[in-house]
Amino acid sequence: MDNNNLEQITFGGGCFWCVESCFNILKGVESAISGYSGGHKDNPTYEEVCTGETGHAEVVQITYDPKIISYEQLMDVFFFLHDPTQLNRQGNDIGTQYRSVIYYKDDAEKTKAEEAIKASQESGRWSGTYVTELTPFEKFWSAEQYHQGYYNVNPNQPYCSAVVGPKIQKFKKHFGELGMLNAE
């Protein structure tokens, strides 16, 4: 990858264990880091974010090479991995920390995010009204180290085997057929 031309995007689509695991195996993604954004407390902990009182969302910050994978492709993956019609939840994960949110850095990125939401809505992938927030990016706080690559280290943990694993398998099948995954 050309490290001089890398870009970043930060968004939340439910539990970051699911999202981070998938993005880390995409061609063109240098890193996907689990963390927190959108809240009012500096250096929040996982326990604090889980209360819903800090205002943060569980997010993934992706560093990628736009010559290999486009912003639009990343958005397609984002909308594949979570249901953007569920307000402040994903399945049984309930709370504002699980909200669907895209953090944009400038007006051009906001416009691209609006276009991605519109394209996803028009695709009919999800029925219902999209509730994905578009919020100016302010700060990203990396989650505790044990959250990074959590699924890879804990595939047999009950939540991982029941929720994360099946989501990753569905993701691998779909995006593998499109040739978008790194070789295992």
Side-chain angles (χ1 to χ4, degrees):
M1 272 189 238
D2 182 358
N3 290 338
N4 295 325
N5 294 313
L6 296 179
E7 295 185 19
Q8 286 188 324
I9 183 170
T10 304
F11 45 65
C15 174
F16 49 34
W17 295 343
C18 298
V19 178
E20 177 253 359
S21 296
C22 292
F23 277 97
N24 268 321
I25 59 175
L26 283 171
K27 288 179 183 175
V29 171
E30 180 177 279
S31 67
I33 307 295
S34 293
Y36 317 108
S37 281
H40 57 275
K41 182 180 187 314
D42 289 348
N43 294 307
T45 66
Y46 180 68
E47 290 75 20
E48 291 169 333
V49 172
C50 283
T51 67
E53 295 177 15
T54 67
H56 292 88
E58 285 192 16
V59 298
V60 175
Q61 186 168 76
I62 297 163
T63 302
Y64 68 100
D65 186 338
K67 292 179 183 166
I68 300 172
I69 189 166
S70 70
Y71 181 91
E72 291 76 16
Q73 287 173 307
L74 292 169
M75 285 289 103
D76 188 48
V77 172
F78 172 67
F79 288 117
F80 180 89
L81 290 175
H82 82 291
D83 182 345
T85 69
Q86 293 187 345
L87 182 62
N88 298 326
R89 71 179 300 159
Q90 284 299 300
N92 290 328
D93 293 332
I94 300 170
T96 58
Q97 67 271 27
Y98 300 115
R99 66 189 177 270
S100 177
V101 58
I102 301 169
Y103 292 96
Y104 61 88
K105 293 185 178 69
D106 55 34
D107 288 340
E109 197 170 274
K110 180 181 181 186
T111 298
K112 289 196 301 188
E114 289 168 340
E115 291 168 356
I117 291 170
K118 183 179 178 190
S120 184
Q121 285 176 316
E122 290 174 354
S123 77
R125 179 180 290 153
W126 301 101
S127 61
T129 303
Y130 277 43
V131 295
T132 303
E133 295 177 12
L134 286 176
T135 304
F137 177 83
E138 291 181 12
K139 182 75 178 164
F140 171 79
W141 303 98
S142 183
E144 295 81 352
Q145 188 56 43
Y146 72 91
H147 289 294
Q148 311 306 328
Y150 189 86
Y151 175 79
N152 294 336
V153 176
N154 301 285
N156 296 320
Q157 187 260 12
Y159 181 85
C160 287
S161 61
V163 177
V164 183
K167 186 177 280 198
I168 291 172
Q169 292 311 310
K170 181 179 171 187
F171 165 83
K172 283 182 173 180
K173 180 177 182 343
H174 180 77
F175 289 96
E177 290 172 358
L178 297 175
M180 293 178 62
L181 304 182
N182 290 315
E184 289 193 56

